[in-house]
Amino acid sequence: MVWETPYFSYAVRDLPKGCRLCVRGEKLVLFTTGACPRDCFYCPLSERRRNDVVYANERPVKSLEDITEEALLMDAKGAGVTGGDPMARLERTAEYIRALKETFGENFHIHLYTTGALATKKNLEKLYDAGLDEIRFHPDLFNPDSRLFKVEIENIRNAFDFDWDVGGEIPSIPGQFERMRWYAGFLDDLGAKFLNVNELEFSNTNLRAILERGYRPISDESSAIRGSLELGLKLLEWGEGNTSLSYHLCTAKLKDSVQLRNRLRRTAKNVAKPYMEITEDGTLRFGIAEYDDLDELYELLVEEAEVPEEWLYIHRKKGRIEMPEEVALELADAIEGDVRFFIVEEYPTFDRIEVERIPLP
Ligand code: SF4
């Protein structure tokens, strides 16, 4: 039976372990390199991430400490290692996996996505020895005549020599049902555990290639591609009757509204300052005052407006003083002149993206 999960996604049999923690926003997303041997037309990576860069969630990584700090801030229960192809920087990837296991313990569940192009036995052994729990293969399924695809498919067999969970991860591309079905059968014959299917979505970088191939978004408000979800469901129904794999159809809605929101809420609890309110969506809401001379403004707020110092924080980099929303509302009424007051809402993430800014009269 295909069942709907509480996270707006669909499954056959049990959810893969890597997905179970991920849907609840409990996994750190560790991006170990943008390098990749492939060039998929649907690749969603931003221009910046197409380079050899490392990120822990949104935080650029310069050292191991950046990774552990980000994991602590979100109370991560595990990590999903992604790229690019993390195996394109194997030593680095293995080092990070080992370090996460050493720091957070054996039960910190780690899964990794790879094309399979570099998955020789020797390379896989390095990941296994580092402590990897689950590996997911995304071969060049829609280019079956390419040399790379043949290498990837041969390499996938190597993964079954190790005691970890092996599965597949592919996008649901309208018109490609036969290829998807072939891959499900291939994995099943090898004794794999699961196949995770992603609803196709456009991003800034793949939009043109997706439109050129005739695909269209389901609406003006959504980045999901028409027909992808239905095709994924068709595969799950077929797979339920014809294979013993577990399936998970991961929807655009799951990623936007459930997984991200859960991760934001977990992080917000740890990073919110006393003057910030945590919203339902996991964003931080507070008041700010902007003025050319922050020290002068601070003095004015403390000495003349008599705002307790513990309610104020000078954020020099952003050129503002932060405070509780209620204080900003009162001050906006009371203070005249060039000081500008706003209520802002920000992601609690490292990049602190501002999602709302309301000017106060
Ligand atoms: S394998 Fe993944 S990272 Fe590499 S090009 Fe394809 S979609 Fe992008």
Side-chain angles (χ1 to χ4, degrees):
M1 194 187 67
V2 176
W3 58 282
E4 191 172 351
T5 73
Y7 315 104
F8 305 111
S9 64
Y10 300 88
V12 167
R13 305 183 183 102
D14 298 333
L15 280 191
K17 190 145 184 218
C19 296
R20 261 179 266 160
L21 295 171
C22 180
V23 291
R24 296 200 295 259
E26 294 175 348
K27 280 217 153 176
L28 173 80
V29 181
L30 181 58
F31 183 96
T32 61
T33 179
C36 181
R38 290 240 300 277
D39 185 19
C40 307
F41 77 85
Y42 49 79
C43 185
L45 290 188
S46 63
E47 289 300 341
R48 200 181 311 154
R49 291 209 179 203
R50 284 176 191 224
N51 300 309
D52 188 20
V53 288
V54 182
Y55 285 89
N57 295 331
E58 294 78 11
R59 179 189 298 253
V61 171
K62 285 175 221 76
S63 68
L64 260 173
E65 287 71 52
D66 291 326
I67 301 176
T68 38
E69 190 176 332
E70 185 66 25
L72 284 171
L73 280 182
M74 64 169 288
D75 282 336
K77 302 268 184 288
V81 182
T82 185
D85 187 341
M87 292 192 77
R89 294 293 178 273
L90 186 64
E91 300 302 329
R92 178 194 295 166
T93 299
E95 181 199 340
Y96 292 162
I97 293 172
R98 180 169 282 112
L100 283 170
K101 283 284 187 180
E102 275 168 13
T103 310
F104 297 103
E106 227 353 81
N107 289 336
F108 191 86
H109 185 271
I110 305 182
H111 71 273
L112 173 143
Y113 305 91
T114 182
T115 60
L118 303 159
T120 58
K121 243 181 224 172
K122 207 166 131 225
N123 287 349
L124 289 171
E125 196 170 0
K126 289 196 177 154
L127 295 177
Y128 182 76
D129 289 346
L132 185 67
D133 299 290
E134 181 184 300
I135 187 158
R136 301 174 166 211
F137 287 95
H138 167 211
D140 204 0
L141 197 57
F142 311 112
N143 281 313
D145 297 329
S146 73
R147 199 190 60 82
L148 202 54
F149 173 69
K150 293 187 178 95
V151 173
E152 290 166 346
I153 286 298
E154 272 316 302
N155 279 346
I156 292 175
R157 299 178 198 278
N158 295 329
F160 292 87
D161 288 352
F162 302 91
D163 184 21
W164 52 17
D165 289 345
V166 182
E169 173 106 10
I170 52 170
S172 172
I173 310 270
Q176 293 286 358
F177 183 67
E178 278 315 312
R179 296 303 300 147
M180 291 159 64
R181 188 165 73 166
W182 175 86
Y183 189 47
F186 170 79
L187 287 175
D188 191 43
D189 289 346
L190 287 177
K193 273 220 159 139
F194 64 87
L195 177 58
N196 195 47
V197 183
N198 290 300
E199 183 176 16
L200 184 62
E201 282 181 87
F202 73 79
S203 69
N204 285 344
T205 43
N206 69 14
L207 178 63
R208 178 193 278 232
I210 283 187
L211 292 179
E212 270 171 14
R213 284 168 173 79
Y215 302 118
R216 294 290 176 267
I218 53 176
S219 73
D220 288 348
E221 284 87 48
S222 173
S223 58
I225 296 300
R226 207 183 293 158
S228 176
L229 182 67
E230 293 74 8
L231 184 70
L233 281 169
K234 189 172 151 190
L235 183 75
L236 264 57
E237 270 152 28
W238 176 85
E240 204 258 323
N242 293 281
T243 66
S244 12
L245 297 175
S246 289
Y247 292 82
H248 184 214
L249 173 55
C250 190
T251 58
K253 191 164 175 191
L254 182 153
K255 290 189 196 105
D256 292 349
S257 53
V258 189
Q259 182 207 36
L260 177 66
R261 192 166 57 167
N262 286 345
R263 175 160 71 81
L264 294 183
R265 281 184 185 161
R266 297 170 72 80
T267 309
K269 274 193 240 151
N270 290 322
V271 303
K273 300 230 169 72
Y275 55 84
M276 295 174 172
E277 179 205 336
I278 300 175
T279 69
E280 268 292 286
D281 291 335
T283 55
L284 304 171
R285 191 177 160 100
F286 51 96
I288 61 164
E290 289 180 347
Y291 186 62
D292 294 344
D293 187 335
L294 290 181
D295 294 310
E296 190 187 317
L297 176 62
Y298 189 81
E299 214 178 297
L300 174 88
L301 296 181
V302 174
E303 281 170 21
E304 289 186 32
E306 295 179 351
V307 181
E309 286 189 60
E310 60 270 25
W311 286 0
L312 300 174
Y313 172 71
I314 305 184
H315 199 313
R316 294 199 187 274
K317 220 166 148 196
K318 293 205 169 175
R320 68 196 194 187
I321 295 181
E322 300 177 352
M323 62 194 74
E325 180 178 345
E326 303 71 36
V327 174
L329 283 166
E330 271 187 38
L331 290 175
D333 258 353
I335 293 185
E336 289 176 357
D338 293 338
V339 187
R340 299 167 303 276
F341 289 92
F342 302 89
I343 304 295
V344 295
E345 237 182 80
E346 284 182 356
Y347 276 5
T349 50
F350 187 80
D351 51 13
R352 286 293 167 99
I353 293 173
E354 190 174 297
V355 285
E356 179 140 44
R357 168 175 281 240
I358 307 164
L360 298 178

